[in-house]
PDB file of all heavy atoms in Angstrom:
ATOM      1  N   TRP Z  19      -0.723   1.156  11.958  1.00  0.00           N
ATOM      2  CA  TRP Z  19      -2.178   1.146  11.910  1.00  0.00           C
ATOM      3  C   TRP Z  19      -2.749   2.052  12.994  1.00  0.00           C
ATOM      4  O   TRP Z  19      -2.210   2.142  14.088  1.00  0.00           O
ATOM      5  CB  TRP Z  19      -2.662  -0.290  12.125  1.00  0.00           C
ATOM      6  CG  TRP Z  19      -4.125  -0.501  11.880  1.00  0.00           C
ATOM      7  CD1 TRP Z  19      -5.108  -0.637  12.824  1.00  0.00           C
ATOM      8  CD2 TRP Z  19      -4.782  -0.608  10.616  1.00  0.00           C
ATOM      9  NE1 TRP Z  19      -6.337  -0.828  12.221  1.00  0.00           N
ATOM     10  CE2 TRP Z  19      -6.169  -0.808  10.865  1.00  0.00           C
ATOM     11  CE3 TRP Z  19      -4.344  -0.546   9.286  1.00  0.00           C
ATOM     12  CZ2 TRP Z  19      -7.108  -0.952   9.843  1.00  0.00           C
ATOM     13  CZ3 TRP Z  19      -5.288  -0.684   8.271  1.00  0.00           C
ATOM     14  CH2 TRP Z  19      -6.638  -0.886   8.550  1.00  0.00           C
ATOM     15  N   GLY Z  20      -3.841   2.747  12.663  1.00  0.00           N
ATOM     16  CA  GLY Z  20      -4.553   3.515  13.679  1.00  0.00           C
ATOM     17  C   GLY Z  20      -3.968   4.871  13.995  1.00  0.00           C
ATOM     18  O   GLY Z  20      -4.238   5.434  15.058  1.00  0.00           O
ATOM     19  N   ILE Z  21      -3.170   5.430  13.080  1.00  0.00           N
ATOM     20  CA  ILE Z  21      -2.551   6.733  13.322  1.00  0.00           C
ATOM     21  C   ILE Z  21      -3.058   7.783  12.336  1.00  0.00           C
ATOM     22  O   ILE Z  21      -3.261   8.943  12.688  1.00  0.00           O
ATOM     23  CB  ILE Z  21      -1.010   6.635  13.205  1.00  0.00           C
ATOM     24  CG1 ILE Z  21      -0.463   5.640  14.224  1.00  0.00           C
ATOM     25  CG2 ILE Z  21      -0.365   8.003  13.406  1.00  0.00           C
ATOM     26  CD1 ILE Z  21      -0.693   6.040  15.661  1.00  0.00           C
ATOM     27  N   LEU Z  22      -3.289   7.370  11.091  1.00  0.00           N
ATOM     28  CA  LEU Z  22      -3.705   8.278  10.024  1.00  0.00           C
ATOM     29  C   LEU Z  22      -5.004   7.770   9.402  1.00  0.00           C
ATOM     30  O   LEU Z  22      -5.147   6.579   9.135  1.00  0.00           O
ATOM     31  CB  LEU Z  22      -2.623   8.372   8.952  1.00  0.00           C
ATOM     32  CG  LEU Z  22      -1.255   8.854   9.435  1.00  0.00           C
ATOM     33  CD1 LEU Z  22      -0.186   8.559   8.397  1.00  0.00           C
ATOM     34  CD2 LEU Z  22      -1.314  10.354   9.724  1.00  0.00           C
ATOM     35  N   TYR Z  23      -5.925   8.699   9.157  1.00  0.00           N
ATOM     36  CA  TYR Z  23      -7.220   8.335   8.597  1.00  0.00           C
ATOM     37  C   TYR Z  23      -7.592   9.248   7.430  1.00  0.00           C
ATOM     38  O   TYR Z  23      -7.495  10.469   7.538  1.00  0.00           O
ATOM     39  CB  TYR Z  23      -8.322   8.426   9.666  1.00  0.00           C
ATOM     40  CG  TYR Z  23      -8.103   7.506  10.839  1.00  0.00           C
ATOM     41  CD1 TYR Z  23      -7.416   7.939  11.979  1.00  0.00           C
ATOM     42  CD2 TYR Z  23      -8.560   6.187  10.804  1.00  0.00           C
ATOM     43  CE1 TYR Z  23      -7.199   7.092  13.053  1.00  0.00           C
ATOM     44  CE2 TYR Z  23      -8.355   5.335  11.878  1.00  0.00           C
ATOM     45  CZ  TYR Z  23      -7.675   5.790  12.991  1.00  0.00           C
ATOM     46  OH  TYR Z  23      -7.457   4.946  14.051  1.00  0.00           O
ATOM     47  N   ARG Z  24      -8.019   8.646   6.329  1.00  0.00           N
ATOM     48  CA  ARG Z  24      -8.559   9.389   5.180  1.00  0.00           C
ATOM     49  C   ARG Z  24     -10.071   9.223   5.192  1.00  0.00           C
ATOM     50  O   ARG Z  24     -10.582   8.117   5.325  1.00  0.00           O
ATOM     51  CB  ARG Z  24      -7.970   8.842   3.876  1.00  0.00           C
ATOM     52  CG  ARG Z  24      -8.669   9.376   2.619  1.00  0.00           C
ATOM     53  CD  ARG Z  24      -7.843   9.191   1.356  1.00  0.00           C
ATOM     54  NE  ARG Z  24      -7.658   7.816   0.950  1.00  0.00           N
ATOM     55  CZ  ARG Z  24      -8.255   7.247  -0.110  1.00  0.00           C
ATOM     56  NH1 ARG Z  24      -9.120   7.946  -0.823  1.00  0.00           N
ATOM     57  NH2 ARG Z  24      -8.001   5.998  -0.430  1.00  0.00           N
ATOM     58  N   SER Z  25     -10.789  10.317   5.013  1.00  0.00           N
ATOM     59  CA  SER Z  25     -12.244  10.251   5.146  1.00  0.00           C
ATOM     60  C   SER Z  25     -12.939  11.165   4.148  1.00  0.00           C
ATOM     61  O   SER Z  25     -12.333  12.097   3.601  1.00  0.00           O
ATOM     62  CB  SER Z  25     -12.644  10.671   6.572  1.00  0.00           C
ATOM     63  OG  SER Z  25     -14.048  10.726   6.708  1.00  0.00           O
ATOM     64  N   GLY Z  26     -14.217  10.873   3.950  1.00  0.00           N
ATOM     65  CA  GLY Z  26     -15.089  11.792   3.241  1.00  0.00           C
ATOM     66  C   GLY Z  26     -15.702  12.773   4.223  1.00  0.00           C
ATOM     67  O   GLY Z  26     -15.258  12.906   5.364  1.00  0.00           O
ATOM     68  N   VAL Z  27     -16.754  13.437   3.782  1.00  0.00           N
ATOM     69  CA  VAL Z  27     -17.386  14.489   4.575  1.00  0.00           C
ATOM     70  C   VAL Z  27     -17.853  13.951   5.931  1.00  0.00           C
ATOM     71  O   VAL Z  27     -18.317  12.813   6.040  1.00  0.00           O
ATOM     72  CB  VAL Z  27     -18.559  15.097   3.783  1.00  0.00           C
ATOM     73  CG1 VAL Z  27     -19.665  14.082   3.567  1.00  0.00           C
ATOM     74  CG2 VAL Z  27     -19.094  16.343   4.452  1.00  0.00           C
ATOM     75  N   LEU Z  28     -17.742  14.789   6.961  1.00  0.00           N
ATOM     76  CA  LEU Z  28     -18.098  14.388   8.327  1.00  0.00           C
ATOM     77  C   LEU Z  28     -19.377  15.096   8.784  1.00  0.00           C
ATOM     78  O   LEU Z  28     -19.481  15.529   9.921  1.00  0.00           O
ATOM     79  CB  LEU Z  28     -16.953  14.740   9.281  1.00  0.00           C
ATOM     80  CG  LEU Z  28     -15.605  14.085   8.990  1.00  0.00           C
ATOM     81  CD1 LEU Z  28     -14.532  14.650   9.912  1.00  0.00           C
ATOM     82  CD2 LEU Z  28     -15.699  12.574   9.139  1.00  0.00           C
ATOM     83  N   SER Z  29     -20.335  15.185   7.893  1.00  0.00           N
ATOM     84  CA  SER Z  29     -21.549  15.955   8.194  1.00  0.00           C
ATOM     85  C   SER Z  29     -22.711  15.110   8.668  1.00  0.00           C
ATOM     86  O   SER Z  29     -23.702  15.659   9.160  1.00  0.00           O
ATOM     87  CB  SER Z  29     -21.984  16.741   6.949  1.00  0.00           C
ATOM     88  OG  SER Z  29     -20.953  17.599   6.520  1.00  0.00           O
ATOM     89  N   ASN Z  30     -22.633  13.802   8.508  1.00  0.00           N
ATOM     90  CA  ASN Z  30     -23.778  12.950   8.814  1.00  0.00           C
ATOM     91  C   ASN Z  30     -23.450  11.889   9.857  1.00  0.00           C
ATOM     92  O   ASN Z  30     -24.039  10.808   9.862  1.00  0.00           O
ATOM     93  CB  ASN Z  30     -24.275  12.274   7.529  1.00  0.00           C
ATOM     94  CG  ASN Z  30     -24.640  13.285   6.458  1.00  0.00           C
ATOM     95  OD1 ASN Z  30     -25.491  14.128   6.669  1.00  0.00           O
ATOM     96  ND2 ASN Z  30     -23.980  13.208   5.319  1.00  0.00           N
ATOM     97  N   LEU Z  31     -22.510  12.203  10.749  1.00  0.00           N
ATOM     98  CA  LEU Z  31     -22.131  11.240  11.772  1.00  0.00           C
ATOM     99  C   LEU Z  31     -23.290  11.000  12.739  1.00  0.00           C
ATOM    100  O   LEU Z  31     -23.984  11.931  13.143  1.00  0.00           O
ATOM    101  CB  LEU Z  31     -20.905  11.742  12.540  1.00  0.00           C
ATOM    102  CG  LEU Z  31     -19.633  11.970  11.723  1.00  0.00           C
ATOM    103  CD1 LEU Z  31     -18.505  12.486  12.613  1.00  0.00           C
ATOM    104  CD2 LEU Z  31     -19.201  10.694  11.008  1.00  0.00           C
ATOM    105  N   THR Z  32     -23.456   9.751  13.110  1.00  0.00           N
ATOM    106  CA  THR Z  32     -24.537   9.356  14.012  1.00  0.00           C
ATOM    107  C   THR Z  32     -23.966   9.007  15.386  1.00  0.00           C
ATOM    108  O   THR Z  32     -22.749   8.961  15.583  1.00  0.00           O
ATOM    109  CB  THR Z  32     -25.272   8.127  13.452  1.00  0.00           C
ATOM    110  OG1 THR Z  32     -24.354   7.005  13.444  1.00  0.00           O
ATOM    111  CG2 THR Z  32     -25.761   8.383  12.037  1.00  0.00           C
ATOM    112  N   ALA Z  33     -24.849   8.714  16.328  1.00  0.00           N
ATOM    113  CA  ALA Z  33     -24.416   8.294  17.659  1.00  0.00           C
ATOM    114  C   ALA Z  33     -23.583   7.022  17.578  1.00  0.00           C
ATOM    115  O   ALA Z  33     -22.607   6.854  18.324  1.00  0.00           O
ATOM    116  CB  ALA Z  33     -25.639   8.086  18.558  1.00  0.00           C
ATOM    117  N   THR Z  34     -23.939   6.143  16.650  1.00  0.00           N
ATOM    118  CA  THR Z  34     -23.148   4.919  16.448  1.00  0.00           C
ATOM    119  C   THR Z  34     -21.755   5.259  15.943  1.00  0.00           C
ATOM    120  O   THR Z  34     -20.752   4.663  16.363  1.00  0.00           O
ATOM    121  CB  THR Z  34     -23.856   3.985  15.451  1.00  0.00           C
ATOM    122  OG1 THR Z  34     -25.145   3.641  15.969  1.00  0.00           O
ATOM    123  CG2 THR Z  34     -23.054   2.717  15.232  1.00  0.00           C
ATOM    124  N   ASP Z  35     -21.680   6.232  15.028  1.00  0.00           N
ATOM    125  CA  ASP Z  35     -20.372   6.676  14.528  1.00  0.00           C
ATOM    126  C   ASP Z  35     -19.535   7.268  15.654  1.00  0.00           C
ATOM    127  O   ASP Z  35     -18.326   7.006  15.755  1.00  0.00           O
ATOM    128  CB  ASP Z  35     -20.551   7.727  13.424  1.00  0.00           C
ATOM    129  CG  ASP Z  35     -21.252   7.169  12.199  1.00  0.00           C
ATOM    130  OD1 ASP Z  35     -21.033   5.989  11.886  1.00  0.00           O
ATOM    131  OD2 ASP Z  35     -22.014   7.921  11.570  1.00  0.00           O
TER     132      ASP Z  35
END
Side-chain angles (χ1 to χ4, degrees):
W19 190 257
I21 300 297
L22 301 165
Y23 299 92
R24 169 162 67 108
S25 175
V27 65
L28 300 173
S29 302
N30 303 301
L31 299 179
T32 65
T34 300
D35 296 325

